């Protein structure tokens, strides 16, 4: 279409992190502004797209979902190929999902491009009473590792747009 021809860049972004942290819901919130209450785990690799305007450039974000592979530690290097950005998601109510973030960073360092922009996301920030990961722990980790960091809620939508746009803006700065 005429609109497609005006796109300046296509940025591939991968969403990774433990199972059930809210990766698919974050993606659906950003791409479609939807939260699906009875979402089933995804089967098969898939991506969603959304086109946004950043600094007067039309950027098509092609955002890939791990599609359940995270359970079997079977995210393949093909998934990371060509990715310019990564959303690394943990659940602020599940300490284990935060402890596993270091392993996901290693995974990125091993399989993704050196220049990949990484955004650490503490999701489910709406579950205030169930929180087990203090914000400060994630701030410290992301500062040490050179990652960007936001806490989000795919449920309320809080910070989801901000985090994705920040990631796309930072990718745009390095391409
Ligand atoms: P994935 O396995 O990482 O893709 O996780 P899903 O997106 O399938 O979400 C796992 C579960 O967490 C589902 O029951 C979602 O409804 C729920 N969930 C996802 N994001 C949020 C959030 O921001 N807040 C709350 N309260 N629940 C969420
Ligand atoms: Mg999923």
């Amino acid at each position: 279409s005429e609109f497609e021809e005006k796109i300046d860049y296509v940025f591939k972004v991968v969403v990774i992190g433990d199972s059930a942290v809210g990766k698919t819901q974050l993606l659906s919130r950003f791409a479609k502004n939807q939260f699906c209450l009875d979402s089933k785990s995804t089967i098969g690799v898939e991506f969603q797209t959304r086109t946004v305007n950043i600094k007067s450039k039309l950027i098509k974000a092609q955002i890939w979902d791990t599609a359940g592979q995270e359970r079997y530690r079977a995210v393949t290097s093909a998934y990371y190929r060509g990715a310019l950005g990564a959303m690394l998601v943990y659940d602020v109510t599940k300490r284990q999902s935060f402890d596993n973030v270091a392993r996901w960073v290693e995974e990125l360092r091993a399989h993704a491009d050196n220049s990949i922009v990484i955004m650490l996301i503490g999701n489910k920030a709406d579950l205030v009473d169930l929180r087990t990961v203090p914000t400060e722990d994630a701030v410290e980790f992301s500062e040490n590792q050179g990652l960007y960091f936001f806490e989000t809620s795919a449920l309320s939508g809080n910070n989801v747009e901000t985090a994705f746009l920040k990631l796309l803006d930072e990718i745009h700065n390095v391409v």
Side-chain angles (χ1 to χ4, degrees):
S1 70
E2 200 181 328
F3 183 66
E4 287 283 323
E5 283 161 18
K6 289 183 175 143
I7 285 174
D8 295 292
Y9 301 106
V10 177
F11 290 167
K12 176 177 172 180
V13 171
V14 291
V15 185
I16 56 169
D18 281 10
S19 185
V21 294
K23 299 182 299 299
T24 299
Q25 294 299 340
L26 280 167
L27 179 46
S28 126
R29 172 65 71 192
F30 180 66
K32 300 180 296 199
N33 198 20
Q34 277 175 11
F35 186 91
C36 185
L37 276 174
D38 57 348
S39 72
K40 302 198 178 72
S41 27
T42 345
I43 299 161
V45 171
E46 47 184 84
F47 64 81
Q48 294 188 46
T49 62
R50 185 174 146 194
T51 300
V52 293
N53 199 311
I54 292 179
K55 295 180 180 133
S56 70
K57 297 285 183 201
L58 264 192
I59 290 168
K60 185 179 196 167
Q62 186 188 75
I63 309 160
W64 291 69
D65 196 350
T66 50
Q69 294 166 317
E70 69 273 28
R71 265 174 225 152
Y72 314 104
R73 300 189 177 182
V75 179
T76 61
S77 51
Y79 181 73
Y80 298 106
R81 195 165 302 136
L84 299 173
M87 285 287 194
L88 202 182
V89 188
Y90 67 93
D91 175 342
V92 299
T93 74
K94 282 225 185 78
R95 184 72 207 189
Q96 188 62 53
S97 72
F98 178 71
D99 293 340
N100 286 341
V101 162
R103 191 176 63 78
W104 284 107
V105 171
E106 277 172 33
E107 189 84 347
L108 280 170
R109 305 278 185 227
H111 297 292
D113 213 85
N114 279 337
S115 58
I116 193 165
V117 181
I118 307 171
M119 168 75 66
L120 180 65
I121 295 288
N123 190 45
K124 308 197 190 181
D126 57 283
L127 298 175
V128 179
D129 297 337
L130 297 175
R131 177 191 285 270
T132 55
V133 184
T135 305
E136 304 75 57
D137 291 15
V139 167
E140 189 187 347
F141 181 86
S142 46
E143 281 175 1
N144 287 339
Q145 296 282 327
L147 318 177
Y148 297 94
F149 168 64
F150 277 99
E151 288 187 348
T152 61
S153 168
L155 178 62
S156 75
N158 190 43
N159 264 350
V160 176
E161 181 96 357
T162 310
F164 272 101
L165 291 180
K166 173 69 177 166
L167 180 67
L168 295 171
D169 186 53
E170 289 303 328
I171 295 170
H172 179 246
N173 288 341
V174 298
V175 291

